[in-house]
Amino acid sequence: MPSEKSRYEPAPPIPSYDEATAGGASSSQWPPPPSPIDSRPDHETEAQSLLYHAGRENPPRRAPAGYRPPRVETDDEESVWSLDDEDDDDDSQVDGAQVRREMQELEVEDPLNDQGRSTSSWTKRIGFSRFSLPQWKWKWRWRLPRLTVRLPRQTDNDSANNANTEPNEAGMWRRVASMLPAINSRDALLFVGRLLALMVIMGSVYLLFISDLFGNVSRRLNGRMFDPEDVRRFVQLNIDREQIKETSRHFTSFAHIAGTEGDYALAMDVHNSFSKNGFDQVLVDEYYVYLNYPKKGGRAVQIMSPDGQKATWTAALEEPEVGGESAGRQTYAFHGHSKSGDVQGPLIYANYGSREDFKRLANKGIDTKGAIALVRYGGTQRDQALKVKAAEMAGFAGCIIYSDPAENGFVHGDPAPKGRTMPADGVQRGSVSLSSWVVGDVLTPTWESTEGQVRQSKEKTKGLVHIPSLPIAWRDAQVLLQHIQGFGEPCPEHWRGRVPDVKWWSGNSSSPIVRLKNQQDEVEKQKIWNIYTKLEGLEQSEKSIIIGNHRDAWAFGATSPNSGTAIMLEVARVFGELAAQGWRPLRTIEFMSWDAGEYNMIGSTEFVEKNLEALQEQALAYVNLDTAVSGREFHAAGSPVFRRLITRALDRVLDPVANVTLLSLWNDRKANLEPLGYKGDYVPFQDIAGTSSLDIRFDGKPHPSHSSYDNFDLMQSIGDPEFIYHALLGQVLGLLVLDLADRPILPFDMNSYASSLGRYVGDLSHWAEGKGINKGKERKINLDPIKEAANHVTTAVTRFEQFEPYWEKSIISSNGWEPAGLGIRRLDHNTRMGHFESNLLDLEFGGGIPNRTQFKHVVFGPQIWGESDEAHFPAIRDVIEVKDWSLAQTIIDKTAKIMKEAADALISA
């Protein structure tokens, strides 16, 4: 039989809604009486229901499972504003309401029920991808204290007057305390612990990011690490000489003088190539510049009858067609930026056309006024524009320039197309704008030639010559030289060229009359197109390494400039592949295709003038490609900061023909970094913007420069048949760019710059002595300030260079990690290095080289009548030349001041 305890007891009846909400007791009491078979102690049974006090009138009631009856009150369970004006409200009723509120707010949990307890657990994931806090118990709930505002009433006043059992202050503090949430010591401890844990996590994350763990030195991109050595190998191994060859074939397949349809077509090809490589940005930058073009039948060189009315001989002028039908019309032989005119005069031979050559003619009593000058390319005066200008100043009416075999012809090997030298009918075109006086668009010196800009007139600009000129082949010069035999003076040995069958005479005012006609189209606002692209840097995206090459050519341009174009596009392609794999340099890399470089470095100069302040502040280096491959001998010219960088790159590149590194060949020749010249797109960067510049090339014996013979067939058969040296220069360029853009410390050789400055000052002193600065009783000028400034630069650079070994030691000691503070110092170190060159600019109002203020660099720049590439301190040399001793001393003192300030900027705090 079942025991007494197991006897079935019917469940108590479920109360109705009215019963559950009634104010008094009902027939079915709730909660029900305890079960007689429930032997649990009272505190356990009590945990399953709210406390019940039968003796309390209107006790707070709660239905099972948390049921609460609807009440006619606000959402806050009780009106915030209460009007207790009823006569039957007393203090006991107020206390009862307070108890009801506390009972309703009380959370009672079953300690035996895990599910109920879990509802008060608090777990929250921190907003980081891999961190979360443990699941801690958090029972204290955030809530605002409940405020009850009671209006004053009479009973309160009576109570206050009759019962003073408690001071007013104590009552106030008790009311304030009742408003605050109840917090025990355990809750406070948990809160403080969690707050400290959160602070530790946030601090750790901050330190991870600020210490550069995820960037810069140990870059993590798309989950991949890029080892610098692997990147270098990738660049070297992926330079494709077949790709370079096909690019060269395309870019030399038709003539493309600046501003023509052929030039525009190739500009779009460059644009498409950059776009295909996936760079961040590709831009077309248009300028409107002064250009001239030859007219058919508009040019002539003729020997006239004695009365000047009839031509007895006419020069052929043009080259034979060598490009084939697919190349379109070959370009005519002419001089860029030449003067239009039709002049006649006696023919006089003037050797290389230097000022000294014209002076010799004058000393011999030869009248040159109104004559036609015949001069040859090369010699001490290499700039054909200065040859024409010197002839103009000597009184000549026109100037003819020819290529002599002594400089470029059969004397140096077989002529093209069977060999690499200039043939008898080859014509070397070129520009006669005075680039050492005005560079860029000659009508907008010092400002960019956008469409709406003001312009100087052709008559007022300093950049143009004022007599007509033409280039001719030596086959035509031979006839002219033969016709002046017996006129004037026999030429000295050093005036004699190698044109065959010629007796070398100077000619004079009695020489045969020669006509020089140069009628041409002149466009003052010809549109040209620069093309730019860039690969953004990660660490210093505002700092840029620029690689540039001009695209336009006088003819087909296989050597100049399109060997450089093909190499630049191939290197850009390789860097595009690197970027596609997630690699990014520390600094931005920019590739730029200039237009109208052959005329007067126009495209590059207009870009520099338009962006001058940004370049002075942000451009770190410019690497130029022009006549990139004309032989097998590596040459580099540039700022001294590149000396160490060049040798490091050459040591990695193997010449497969010689089977040794390029550095070994470089050292065997005792080669060194050469000075920059006056003809190249590096001129505006180095001399105007103060951007350290470098020009690299493979050079060799003379080639048919700027003639129609400089075409793809000659390059493929004679110049670089397998395009080996194109590919080698591509490797060198890629390595140079990687070092400049991706080494944590900018690889400038500041010690080399300091030592070079000392050598430049010594050369200047020796040159000035030869100009008579110490002749007479008094010394004309004092060069001591500039010597002291050079020594100051050496001292400052020695101190400045101490940072790099310190940085390397710190990185090694920290297992390759760079602390944040050290990284900031490194970036500042790089910035100071990059600014050293631009700090050597004379940026005063009206500053720069006197009368040629477009050129601002105090150390580098073209000399006004420079007869060699190396002419340092051009402003000082110019004024010494004219013996303006007072101005010379002023410029010396100013130059010394600028040099000292540049040195101080390296090491100032």
Side-chain angles (χ1 to χ4, degrees):
M1 293 183 60
S3 66
E4 185 73 10
K5 292 184 178 181
S6 64
R7 186 177 64 246
Y8 170 76
E9 293 288 338
I14 298 175
S16 67
Y17 175 82
D18 292 333
E19 291 174 336
T21 59
S26 63
S27 60
S28 299
Q29 297 181 349
W30 186 267
S35 173
I37 64 173
D38 193 347
S39 62
R40 290 180 297 172
D42 292 342
H43 71 274
E44 292 185 5
T45 59
E46 186 180 32
Q48 293 180 332
S49 63
L50 296 177
L51 294 176
Y52 172 72
H53 300 282
R56 172 83 60 177
E57 185 177 355
N58 296 328
R61 292 177 172 84
R62 172 177 277 180
Y67 171 80
R68 294 191 184 190
R71 298 157 52 200
V72 185
E73 291 188 74
T74 65
D75 291 340
D76 209 8
E77 300 182 348
E78 184 175 58
S79 175
V80 175
W81 301 91
S82 61
L83 297 173
D84 298 333
D85 292 334
E86 299 297 332
D87 294 336
D88 59 350
D89 287 342
D90 54 14
D91 292 340
S92 64
Q93 289 176 320
V94 174
D95 293 341
Q98 178 68 23
V99 170
R100 284 196 300 274
R101 259 195 318 275
E102 292 178 356
M103 294 298 295
Q104 289 170 353
E105 292 173 1
L106 181 64
E107 277 191 319
V108 179
E109 296 179 350
D110 187 353
L112 304 178
N113 189 342
D114 291 338
Q115 293 180 350
R117 186 161 58 239
S118 66
T119 60
S120 64
S121 299
W122 181 79
T123 303
K124 183 177 180 65
R125 290 186 68 83
I126 302 298
F128 302 98
S129 59
R130 296 183 181 178
F131 300 101
S132 64
L133 293 175
Q135 298 184 0
W136 294 334
K137 303 292 184 181
W138 188 261
K139 292 185 179 180
W140 178 61
R141 296 182 299 169
W142 291 88
R143 66 174 61 191
L144 294 174
R146 300 182 181 277
L147 300 178
T148 302
V149 181
R150 301 178 59 194
L151 295 177
R153 61 183 180 178
Q154 185 64 38
T155 56
D156 291 340
N157 295 334
D158 295 342
S159 176
N161 294 331
N162 297 330
N164 295 322
T165 59
E166 178 178 286
N168 291 337
E169 292 81 359
M172 178 185 68
W173 287 111
R174 188 171 63 252
R175 285 193 297 273
V176 171
S178 67
M179 297 176 185
L180 299 176
I183 303 177
N184 57 33
S185 59
R186 178 173 173 269
D187 293 336
L189 184 61
L190 286 174
F191 174 75
V192 172
R194 290 168 181 170
L195 183 61
L196 290 175
L198 184 61
M199 291 174 64
V200 169
I201 293 171
M202 294 296 292
S204 300
V205 172
Y206 172 78
L207 290 175
L208 287 175
F209 281 94
I210 203 66
S211 64
D212 200 28
L213 178 63
F214 303 114
N216 299 341
V217 177
S218 59
R219 288 161 300 167
R220 180 183 296 274
L221 301 176
N222 298 328
R224 297 189 60 187
M225 299 291 291
F226 290 88
D227 181 79
E229 183 61 27
D230 291 341
V231 173
R232 293 187 189 98
R233 281 198 295 266
F234 180 90
V235 169
Q236 286 190 261
L237 294 175
N238 282 274
I239 298 293
D240 186 351
R241 64 187 186 186
E242 288 299 321
Q243 183 68 45
I244 296 174
K245 180 178 179 180
E246 291 308 309
T247 302
S248 176
R249 186 196 305 274
H250 174 69
F251 273 75
T252 59
S253 59
F254 50 86
H256 45 285
I257 297 178
T260 63
E261 292 180 358
D263 176 42
Y264 178 76
L266 292 184
M268 293 302 99
D269 288 338
V270 172
H271 182 281
N272 294 337
S273 177
F274 286 158
S275 300
K276 185 172 63 176
N277 292 334
F279 285 101
D280 297 316
Q281 190 179 50
V282 183
L283 297 177
V284 179
D285 191 16
E286 297 178 347
Y287 295 97
Y288 296 81
V289 303
Y290 170 70
L291 300 179
N292 66 310
Y293 300 101
K295 288 182 177 179
K296 183 177 182 179
R299 294 150 299 108
V301 172
Q302 298 172 323
I303 298 177
M304 307 299 292
S305 60
D307 60 2
Q309 298 300 312
K310 183 179 180 181
T312 61
W313 172 84
T314 300
L317 289 185
E318 308 301 345
E319 298 168 316
E321 288 285 341
V322 296
E325 293 183 3
S326 62
R329 179 179 59 80
Q330 272 183 198
T331 57
Y332 296 131
F334 79 111
H335 276 153
H337 282 166
S338 58
K339 171 76 173 176
S340 290
D342 190 342
V343 294
Q344 295 183 18
L347 183 67
I348 296 177
Y349 172 65
N351 194 23
Y352 289 116
S354 67
R355 290 182 301 163
E356 287 73 17
D357 292 331
F358 290 116
K359 184 178 180 181
R360 183 182 184 278
L361 291 174
N363 292 339
K364 293 293 184 179
I366 298 175
D367 184 10
T368 59
K369 187 175 182 179
I372 305 297
L374 176 64
V375 301
R376 51 179 172 157
Y377 281 109
T380 57
Q381 185 54 268
R382 296 172 55 193
D383 186 351
Q384 59 262 30
L386 291 177
K387 296 176 189 288
V388 178
K389 188 64 178 179
E392 175 192 328
M393 295 175 66
F396 285 86
C399 185
I400 302 169
I401 308 178
Y402 78 97
S403 299
D404 195 282
E407 281 71 47
N408 189 358
F410 61 83
V411 174
H412 299 278
D414 292 336
K418 295 182 179 180
R420 57 174 292 121
T421 64
M422 186 73 81
D425 54 5
V427 181
Q428 180 177 339
R429 300 155 181 82
S431 172
V432 292
S433 48
L434 297 165
S435 57
S436 59
W437 296 16
V438 174
V439 68
D441 182 15
V442 293
L443 303 186
T444 60
T446 74
W447 67 92
E448 74 275 13
S449 55
T450 49
E451 189 170 15
Q453 290 283 9
V454 296
R455 284 163 169 76
Q456 294 181 343
S457 66
K458 292 181 291 182
E459 291 72 29
K460 291 184 178 180
T461 181
K462 295 180 180 179
L464 295 175
V465 294
H466 297 99
I467 61 174
S469 65
L470 280 176
I472 63 173
W474 70 255
R475 66 161 182 212
D476 293 331
Q478 181 185 48
V479 177
L480 295 173
L481 289 167
Q482 289 170 345
H483 274 75
I484 62 172
Q485 181 178 337
F487 293 91
E489 297 285 333
C491 295
E493 185 64 32
H494 65 278
W495 273 47
R496 299 176 184 178
R498 297 296 298 273
V499 177
D501 303 323
V502 168
K503 303 293 184 182
W504 294 87
W505 287 72
S506 65
N508 57 19
S509 58
S510 300
S511 297
I513 302 298
V514 169
R515 180 192 182 196
L516 169 59
K517 182 176 76 168
N518 183 39
Q519 301 297 336
Q520 58 190 1
D521 293 321
E522 298 178 358
V523 186
E524 291 192 6
K525 293 184 179 181
Q526 174 61 53
K527 186 187 292 188
I528 62 171
W529 308 272
N530 289 346
I531 311 297
Y532 316 136
T533 192
K534 66 179 178 179
L535 185 61
E536 290 269 358
L538 280 177
E539 184 177 66
Q540 288 181 294
S541 60
E542 74 283 359
K543 302 295 184 183
S544 59
I545 309 301
I546 302 173
I547 303 93
N549 158 263
H550 79 82
R551 179 186 64 253
D552 63 297
W554 291 124
F556 302 113
T559 299
S560 175
N562 295 135
S563 61
T565 305
I567 292 169
M568 184 183 75
L569 292 181
E570 176 61 10
V571 172
R573 182 192 66 80
V574 172
F575 276 96
E577 288 187 5
L578 266 176
Q581 297 182 35
W583 177 86
R584 288 281 169 156
L586 295 178
R587 306 168 197 99
T588 296
I589 300 172
E590 300 188 62
F591 293 93
M592 299 191 173
S593 174
W594 313 118
D595 204 352
E598 294 288 13
Y599 276 85
N600 196 23
M601 295 80 77
I602 295 178
S604 56
T605 303
E606 300 313 307
F607 169 81
V608 168
E609 290 176 338
K610 183 178 180 180
N611 303 278
L612 185 57
E613 292 184 2
L615 291 170
Q616 289 171 353
E617 183 67 24
Q618 309 296 1
L620 297 176
Y622 173 74
V623 183
N624 188 65
L625 297 168
D626 188 350
T627 308
V629 179
S630 62
R632 298 183 177 184
E633 198 172 81
F634 180 81
H635 289 258
S639 170
V641 297
F642 296 109
R643 181 170 283 112
R644 182 174 58 196
L645 183 68
I646 284 290
T647 57
R648 190 156 53 199
L650 295 182
D651 196 31
R652 293 184 60 97
V653 180
L654 180 71
D655 185 331
V657 177
N659 199 30
V660 293
T661 65
L662 294 180
L663 182 61
S664 297
L665 298 173
W666 170 278
N667 291 333
D668 290 344
R669 293 177 12 236
K670 294 181 171 55
N672 208 336
L673 189 64
E674 302 164 8
L676 288 169
Y678 56 88
K679 287 283 190 180
D681 290 298
Y682 47 76
V683 169
F685 284 92
Q686 181 72 51
D687 301 341
I688 298 176
T691 302
S692 298
S693 299
L694 178 69
D695 184 83
I696 57 175
R697 66 192 187 279
F698 276 103
D699 211 343
K701 293 180 179 180
H703 66 282
S705 174
H706 297 162
S707 76
S708 295
Y709 289 96
D710 183 18
N711 54 29
F712 181 79
D713 289 340
L714 187 70
M715 180 63 73
Q716 184 176 228
S717 61
I718 305 295
D720 188 15
E722 301 297 327
F723 283 76
I724 292 173
Y725 291 92
H726 284 72
L728 292 183
L729 195 64
Q731 290 186 42
V732 173
L733 176 62
L735 292 171
L736 291 174
V737 172
L738 277 177
D739 269 9
L740 288 166
D742 208 39
R743 280 192 179 270
I745 291 184
L746 192 65
F748 279 1
D749 192 346
M750 299 303 295
N751 283 318
S752 175
Y753 206 125
S755 62
S756 295
L757 280 177
R759 180 170 58 84
Y760 300 158
V761 171
D763 293 343
L764 175 66
S765 179
H766 179 74
W767 176 86
E769 291 287 345
K771 295 295 180 179
I773 64 171
N774 288 323
K775 289 182 179 179
K777 295 181 180 180
E778 295 182 2
R779 191 175 186 182
K780 305 297 190 299
I781 57 173
N782 179 18
L783 290 172
D784 289 343
I786 203 168
K787 294 177 182 177
E788 293 171 3
N791 292 333
H792 186 68
V793 170
T794 300
T795 302
V797 165
T798 301
R799 178 178 166 189
F800 178 77
E801 289 284 78
Q802 293 174 358
F803 174 78
E804 185 168 355
Y806 165 77
W807 178 84
E808 291 176 349
K809 182 179 179 181
S810 299
I811 295 299
I812 292 172
S813 63
S814 60
N815 294 322
W817 301 117
E818 181 185 58
L822 186 60
I824 293 173
R825 289 182 60 190
R826 174 176 58 82
L827 297 182
D828 179 67
H829 181 84
N830 289 340
T831 299
R832 290 171 187 259
M833 238 189 304
H835 284 170
F836 180 74
E837 194 91 66
S838 58
N839 285 337
L840 291 173
L841 299 177
D842 181 4
L843 298 178
E844 277 187 5
F845 178 76
I849 301 176
N851 300 315
R852 298 184 294 139
T853 56
Q854 191 179 20
F855 304 103
K856 301 292 186 182
H857 207 293
V858 299
V859 178
F860 301 115
Q863 199 173 347
I864 191 168
W865 284 101
E867 296 183 352
S868 67
D869 285 346
E870 189 164 9
H872 305 107
F873 304 106
I876 297 174
R877 291 175 184 261
D878 279 0
V879 293
I880 289 178
E881 283 276 11
V882 298
K883 302 185 185 306
D884 189 341
W885 307 119
S886 175
L887 181 58
Q889 191 61 56
T890 299
I891 295 176
I892 288 170
D893 295 340
K894 185 179 185 180
T895 300
K897 179 176 178 289
I898 291 173
M899 290 170 61
K900 287 182 177 180
E901 290 175 349
D904 291 339
L906 284 175
I907 57 177
S908 61

